Amino acid sequence: LTGEDSTATGKGVLGDTKSFNTLVNSSGSYLVDRTRGSGIFTYDAKNRTRTPGTLWLDSDNVYNAAYDGAAVDAHTYAGQTYDYFQDVHSRNSYDGNGAELISTVHYGRSYNNAFWSGSQMVYGDGDGNTFVPLSGALDVIAHELTHAVTDTSADLIYQNESGAINESMSDIFGTLVEYHFNNKPDWQVGEDIYTPSVAGDALRSMEDPTLSGDPDHYSKRYTGTGDYGGVHINSGISNKAAFLLANGGSHYGVTVAGIGNDKAGDIYYRTLTQYLTPNSNYSHFRVSTIQAATDLYGASSAEVASVKAAFSAVGVN
Ligand SMILES: O=C(NO)[C@]12CC[C@H](CC1)C2
Ligand SMILES: [Zn+2]
């Protein structure tokens, strides 16, 4: 594929106008951004389930059709997430080696989910009641791309406690990316694309995981076999700890002094990429996070004290 690097404009899933990088040649405008790593490439599954599908081609470099919105956001938010990991953590793409970012939208029919396939991001359109097209939320795209970061670093096994930590890392960086771009930021997950007819709800709350029935303390962890051993359930324990570490608060009688999003992000990034291993459980997660904070701020630092308090507050001692 050859052509000229260009900039297009278009409307996202929620009708917001944005600009993004494309490649233009005599065929038209492709959703190809050659300015980041080895490139960002966005594809159309055309409501079938073959991936990646067809590289997205538009006729006039203006992406304002309703059908275009999912692709506009997948492409733009992948670029923003790339920028977050490069600019904040000096990580060039999800593998640190400039790997191509490949996304497919319009996957399946009324498909209420999104996932990292092991090699690319995949987004359904939702059924219009539970979800609208899932690439419409920056925290969701950053969630998915963080699965790729995890897979190329700690490689946390996607089940039981290691899987819950895997899921929580994706929720944590999904939220931190949302704050980094100040895109209606909050400590909820998927709020922008979840239940369009219900205001103020979210798929999950990191501030209060019990709102979606998930545990906010290790003593309340799920020990069944559903959800790969509760990877989207027991993530609440770590999500609550992350909320407390960044924002502060008291939880079950334990008070945590908040250290802010940036320091929390640096601690979690170092924990994920330097200390966690495929079989890490919550106990090893506590030790690893303390070590990462110690590396960054010193053993007697306030940051280390807050990490210890945050894990203690959720019953991981
Ligand atoms: O938690 C997830 N995947 O592991 C979700 C579910 C809905 C959003 C898109 C994918 C987040
Ligand atoms: Zn996930």
Side-chain angles (χ1 to χ4, degrees), residues 143-144 147 158 166-167 170-171 204 232:
H143 175 111
E144 297 313 331
H147 279 309
Y158 202 66
N166 183 319
E167 268 300 311
S170 280
D171 287 345
R204 294 188 278 279
H232 294 98

Side-chain angles (χ1 to χ4, degrees), residues 47 106-114 123-135 193:
N47 294 118
H106 296 311
Y107 176 85
R109 295 185 184 289
S110 301
Y111 186 68
N112 282 325
N113 213 337
Y123 301 97
D125 288 333
D127 60 16
N129 294 302
T130 302
F131 289 108
V132 299
L134 283 91
S135 60
I193 46 99

Side-chain angles (χ1 to χ4, degrees), residues 58-143:
D58 180 86
S59 56
D60 63 356
N61 222 26
V62 176
Y63 294 67
N64 288 336
Y67 190 78
D68 298 344
V72 166
D73 283 342
H75 198 64
T76 306
Y77 291 156
Q80 291 186 2
T81 304
Y82 173 93
D83 289 350
Y84 169 81
F85 281 108
Q86 176 65 64
D87 299 346
V88 178
H89 302 298
S90 302
R91 189 184 188 90
N92 179 6
S93 195
Y94 60 82
D95 68 344
N97 197 30
E100 294 183 353
L101 296 186
I102 297 170
S103 303
T104 294
V105 298
H106 296 311
Y107 176 85
R109 295 185 184 289
S110 301
Y111 186 68
N112 282 325
N113 213 337
F115 58 94
W116 172 258
S117 75
S119 58
Q120 67 159 98
M121 290 162 279
V122 183
Y123 301 97
D125 288 333
D127 60 16
N129 294 302
T130 302
F131 289 108
V132 299
L134 283 91
S135 60
L138 175 55
D139 63 352
V140 167
I141 291 188
H143 175 111

Side-chain angles (χ1 to χ4, degrees), residues 274-299:
Q274 299 292 332
Y275 292 107
L276 293 178
T277 60
N279 287 296
S280 291
N281 58 18
Y282 263 105
S283 175
H284 186 241
F285 186 22
R286 174 192 170 101
V287 170
S288 298
T289 311
I290 291 167
Q291 186 57 56
T294 300
D295 297 344
L296 293 169
Y297 305 106

Side-chain angles (χ1 to χ4, degrees), residues 206-287:
M206 301 176 76
E207 181 171 357
D208 183 2
T210 67
L211 291 177
S212 52
D214 300 327
D216 62 357
H217 194 275
Y218 192 71
S219 63
K220 299 182 176 184
R221 67 192 177 283
Y222 172 74
T223 56
T225 59
D227 185 34
Y228 304 100
V231 301
H232 294 98
I233 299 168
N234 293 329
S235 53
I237 297 158
S238 170
N239 285 354
K240 179 70 184 191
F243 172 80
L244 290 168
L245 180 62
N247 300 288
S250 287
H251 189 53
Y252 294 105
V254 178
T255 298
V256 184
I259 65 172
N261 287 13
D262 294 348
K263 289 179 177 176
D266 288 345
I267 291 167
Y268 282 115
Y269 180 77
R270 185 171 182 82
T271 303
L272 180 64
T273 58
Q274 299 292 332
Y275 292 107
L276 293 178
T277 60
N279 287 296
S280 291
N281 58 18
Y282 263 105
S283 175
H284 186 241
F285 186 22
R286 174 192 170 101
V287 170

